Amino acid sequence: MHPLWQLRHTLLIVLLIGLLGRVAAVSQAVATPPTATATTQQTTVARPLLWQIGSPPASHLFGTIHIADPRVTMLAEMVSIAFEASDEVRTEIPLDRQSLAEVALGVMLPGGQTLSEILPADLLQRIDSFLQEQGLSLQPFMQMKPWVLASMLSMLEAKEYLLETPLDQALYERAVAEGKSVGGLETVEEQLSILDSLNHEEEAALLEETLEMLQKDTDYIDTLIQTYVAGDAEALLKMVTEFGDQGDPIVQKYGRLLVENRNRIM
């Protein structure tokens, strides 16, 4: 068992929805949902994805998604109580300025490369057309890695919130302001190494999957948010794990890398 699970008064904030819309599922064998008290206020979150680890005084595991939609960022009272009782807050990666600067560098293609050098021209043209329908352009992303482009495409439906602070970042900053110990469950290097682990052909295939899914389902993100807010972990897992062709070896490989292998590290 990872020693982090043995901490007391710790809030572990796990990003359930990854950069390509995949879920890091939490087994109920290790953590069981706490019971809401009679004083729990009614919010937009029907049943937050919050699990208690061990007996009181206990640690908690809280699942978040990388979207700043108010339906997501409004905390249920039981989450606020768990946060206030925690001495430590651990997010997926550290979210301090140095770590975010490492991420900013890590999303760029090396050596001045552009996407036109590593991805098929027809795929880039289709993506550019899709972006133009949203009032955007591919040009600002041409020096970024393919997985960054895939991430951005998957979030276009919620583009009005892209420049706002998502929930995990807000909780991290609040923890720092309140003098709590903070940190990450993995390092920036570990996370980037997973995202960079596909070759260019595999990256192109995943971009194809992402683009096709978004063209078929224009309400994907809104449905995802509604499912998250409802606290339906099983439906959420089913929804995101059915992203793309599950019979495709590349999709299967990326799922193993992004979820299963990282869970062992965390």
Side-chain angles (χ1 to χ4, degrees):
M1 177 178 290
H2 195 290
L4 199 54
W5 292 112
Q6 300 171 16
L7 294 174
R8 285 290 181 259
H9 297 296
T10 301
L11 181 65
L12 309 178
I13 302 174
V14 176
L15 185 69
L16 289 185
I17 309 303
L19 290 168
L20 287 177
R22 298 202 168 275
V23 133
V26 180
S27 171
Q28 294 196 23
V30 247
T32 55
T35 302
T37 65
T39 58
T40 298
Q41 296 176 352
Q42 185 175 359
T43 70
T44 56
V45 180
R47 185 176 181 271
L49 297 178
L50 180 71
W51 287 265
Q52 178 176 299
I53 305 171
S55 302
S59 297
H60 290 84
L61 183 69
F62 179 42
T64 68
I65 54 178
H66 243 326
I67 300 173
D69 188 300
R71 291 173 292 176
V72 172
T73 57
M74 182 182 295
L75 295 181
E77 185 177 357
M78 65 174 68
V79 177
S80 294
I81 291 172
F83 184 92
E84 291 296 337
S86 297
D87 302 315
E88 300 185 42
V89 173
R90 300 295 178 116
T91 44
E92 186 179 350
I93 60 171
L95 296 174
D96 57 278
R97 289 185 179 182
Q98 179 179 342
S99 297
L100 294 178
E102 290 177 27
V103 172
L105 290 175
V107 302
M108 305 302 292
L109 286 168
Q113 277 186 317
T114 66
L115 290 174
S116 59
E117 297 175 59
I118 61 176
L119 294 176
D122 63 324
L123 174 59
L124 289 176
Q125 180 58 52
R126 288 166 48 216
I127 292 173
D128 192 36
S129 297
F130 180 76
L131 287 172
Q132 288 182 29
E133 292 173 2
Q134 314 296 320
L136 301 171
S137 168
L138 179 59
Q139 191 57 40
F141 301 94
M142 288 300 291
Q143 290 187 298
M144 295 184 179
K145 293 176 179 178
W147 61 260
V148 181
L149 179 56
S151 172
M152 185 277 301
L153 289 175
S154 68
M155 294 298 294
L156 277 182
E157 188 186 333
K159 58 182 179 292
E160 65 268 34
Y161 300 116
L162 287 180
L163 297 180
E164 298 184 23
T165 304
L167 179 56
D168 52 334
Q169 179 74 47
L171 290 175
Y172 189 94
E173 293 173 359
R174 177 178 165 187
V176 171
E178 295 182 8
K180 299 179 186 292
S181 174
V182 294
L185 297 176
E186 62 184 346
T187 66
V188 172
E189 182 180 2
E190 286 171 337
Q191 185 171 100
L192 290 176
S193 69
I194 294 295
L195 296 167
D196 290 337
S197 59
L198 299 183
N199 61 42
H200 295 328
E201 288 185 5
E202 292 171 329
E203 289 174 325
L206 280 175
L207 267 170
E208 289 270 10
E209 292 276 1
T210 302
L211 183 60
E212 290 177 8
M213 185 278 293
L214 294 172
Q215 289 174 327
K216 291 177 182 176
D217 187 356
T218 58
D219 296 323
Y220 181 80
I221 292 296
D222 189 62
T223 304
L224 194 65
I225 291 173
Q226 290 183 43
T227 306
Y228 172 79
V229 167
D232 191 338
E234 290 186 8
L236 185 64
L237 180 61
K238 184 176 186 293
M239 181 180 179
V240 297
T241 53
E242 289 179 353
F243 181 96
D245 180 5
Q246 294 305 300
D248 188 329
I250 297 174
V251 174
Q252 293 175 353
K253 175 184 176 180
Y254 202 64
R256 288 193 301 271
L257 290 170
L258 195 61
V259 179
E260 297 173 19
N261 293 1
R262 289 173 68 215
N263 279 349
R264 297 188 184 100
I265 295 173
M266 290 184 179

